Amino acid sequence: MGADDKMQNKAENLGGKVKEGLGKATGNEQMEAEGHGDQAKSSVKDAGENIKDAFKGK
């Protein structure tokens, strides 16, 4: 569960960066904001995974 979740979080973060970049390039503020949101969600999920790992002793 952990490794797959971490990979999905990295992919979501990367997608958010791409979305943010496209939003900046095209002047689409909504897309840029969605990219920031995707990155923030990914960071929160990563923090949750790190907490789980800490409790499992990894």
Side-chain angles (χ1 to χ4, degrees):
M1 178 173 160
D4 290 339
D5 290 338
K6 288 180 183 181
M7 287 178 54
Q8 287 176 342
N9 294 341
K10 296 290 182 196
E12 185 174 12
N13 187 26
L14 180 60
K17 287 182 181 187
V18 169
K19 196 182 280 188
E20 177 188 358
L22 285 173
K24 282 183 182 179
T26 61
N28 186 336
E29 292 178 3
Q30 182 178 354
M31 183 182 289
E32 186 177 346
E34 287 175 7
H36 279 289
D38 289 349
Q39 291 175 62
K41 280 194 300 186
S42 171
S43 294
V44 170
K45 289 178 183 178
D46 272 340
E49 288 297 320
N50 290 337
I51 291 169
K52 281 190 225 176
D53 287 347
F55 280 105
K56 289 180 183 178
K58 290 186 177 180

